């Protein structure tokens, strides 16, 4: 049985790590990895393959960065030959990036079965490119591998219940495995942040936060004014947007570094007092690791994290200080994101349903 995974962006490499591992432990499964090249910087791509011991991609489409239409179109055009050559039993697409949508469209048009990992997430925010990517992918795919019961509910409401299977969240598999192996060494943080004292980990990369210079400036100033040191792990989009807007990212409480490797990120979050982010993956990782998170968005797809205040939405720069200063919730967190075996369930579901 042949599975062809299509990945391209940082969060997909984490999910791929779990799937590649589960596939490798089943001798009847051949796993082909196609990297679209959406992310190409070493810090956003290669280090994930190395640190998470993912086999090197079999194919790299090397599409690089461009406008949404050009980037998605370039992937779509390049996927035809790859799919014709491999004729997989399943094309497996991950999450909600442009690589997800391109992989899906290319496969369904060749009448090849598609499975969508992390199906059923919704923000209901139609300004987000990811919302369109995930809705279109769910409606085109043949098997919807949903992480949570909440996601199943969204799919059922859209008439997709018959194609849905809840398997848990594969990011939980990887996050908990990496957290267990962290050891006692101090986390790797930007210079100026003492790993032994309270600090916050921050990331911002969504267009809604980076692309309006006035909003970006207000958010960065709000981070500068936080009452604890902030390790700002800067995505290239943020660095580029700040340079274009003449906004200095470092200053005040903020100390800037490149994005961390996945093990270093998990380790840094484990020891943090707080997380400030607009990343879906990081909200959930912080929840799994028991660190209160402030999400710089008007909504979240991972609504379970909002329970008991583990995560709080703070879309306005003026909301940040109070949200970050709130006390750590005392409640236990439910295992809503699965038991760490989601990837095995995903691969077994594909094996059982192969032609
Ligand atoms: C993409 C995903 C987003 C995901 C994020 C994780 C879409 C629509 N968005 O957003 O869902 O949360 O990945 O990081 O697919 N760049 C580099 N080096 C790289 C890649 C990008 O410098 O290796 C810069 C380029 O200036 C590029 C910009 O970052 O134009 C944005 O990259 P892109 O892949 O289009 O989207 P992300 O913002 O990373």
């Amino acid at each position: 049985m042949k599975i062809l995974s299509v990945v391209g962006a940082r969060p997909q490499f984490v999910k791929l790590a779990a799937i590649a591992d589960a596939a490798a432990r089943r001798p009847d499964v051949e796993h082909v990895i196609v990297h679209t090249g959406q992310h190409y910087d070493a810090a956003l791509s290669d280090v994930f393959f190395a640190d998470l011991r993912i086999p090197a991609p079999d194919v790299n489409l090397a599409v690089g960065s461009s406008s949404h239409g050009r980037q998605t179109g370039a992937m779509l055009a390049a996927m035809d030959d790859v799919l014709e050559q491999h004729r997989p039993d399943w094309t497996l697409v991950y999450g909600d990036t442009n690589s997800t949508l391109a992989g899906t469209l290319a496969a369904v048009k060749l009448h090849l079965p598609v499975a969508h990992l992390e199906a059923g997430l919704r923000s209901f925010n139609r300004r987000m490119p990811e919302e369109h990517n995930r809705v279109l992918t769910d409606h085109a795919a043949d098997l919807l591998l949903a992480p949570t019961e909440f996601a199943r509910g969204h799919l059922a409401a859209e008439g997709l219940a018959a194609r849905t299977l809840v398997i848990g969240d594969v990011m939980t598999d990887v996050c908990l495995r990496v957290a267990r192996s962290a050891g006692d060494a101090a986390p790797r943080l930007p210079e100026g942040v003492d790993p032994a004292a309270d600090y916050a980990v921050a990331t911002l990369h969504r267009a809604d936060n980076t692309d309006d210079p006035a909003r970006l400036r207000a958010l960065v100033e709000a981070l500068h004014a936080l009452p604890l040191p902030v390790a700002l792990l800067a995505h290239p989009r943020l660095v580029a947007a700040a340079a274009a807007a003449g906004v200095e990212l470092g200053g005040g409480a903020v100390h800037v570094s490149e994005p961390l490797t996945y093990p270093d990120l998990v380790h840094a979050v484990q020891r943090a007092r707080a997380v400030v982010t607009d990343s879906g993956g990081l909200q959930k990782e912080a929840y799994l690791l028991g660190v209160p998170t402030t999400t710089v968005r008007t909504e979240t797809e991972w609504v379970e994290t909002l329970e008991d205040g583990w995560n709080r939405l703070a879309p306005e720069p003026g909301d940040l200080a109070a949200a970050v200063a709130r006390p750590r919730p005392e409640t236990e967190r439910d295992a809503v994101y699965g038991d760490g075996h989601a990837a095995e369930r995903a691969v077994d579901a594909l094996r059982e349903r192969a032609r």
Side-chain angles (χ1 to χ4, degrees), residues 19 50 56 113 123 125 177 179 197 242 276 292 297 334:
I19 294 292
S123 68
N125 177 351
R177 171 159 58 86
V276 180
R297 286 180 49 192
D334 293 333

Side-chain angles (χ1 to χ4, degrees), residues 249-282:
L249 290 176
V254 173
H255 304 267
V256 185
S257 79
E258 275 208 325
L260 296 180
T261 67
Y262 191 73
D264 284 340
L265 174 76
V266 168
H267 198 185
V269 171
Q270 271 180 303
R271 305 279 188 94
R273 163 73 184 77
V275 165
V276 180
T277 191
D278 58 5
S279 150
L282 187 51

Side-chain angles (χ1 to χ4, degrees), residues 76 78-85 87-88 91 103-114 355:
L76 195 49
M79 279 302 296
D80 275 356
D81 287 346
V82 176
L83 290 168
E84 291 285 16
Q85 185 198 335
R87 305 293 305 178
T91 299
T104 303
L105 286 180
V108 295
K109 283 179 183 276
L110 291 170
H111 309 296
L112 294 170
V114 173
R355 285 169 303 193

Side-chain angles (χ1 to χ4, degrees), residues 163-202:
R163 291 185 237 162
T164 301
L165 187 67
V166 176
I167 59 161
D169 183 353
V170 297
M171 285 186 100
T172 304
D173 303 11
V174 187
C175 180
L176 297 183
R177 171 159 58 86
V178 171
R180 278 194 296 271
S181 64
D184 289 333
R188 200 186 294 265
L189 295 172
E191 221 178 296
V193 182
D194 177 359
D198 276 357
Y199 63 87
V201 169

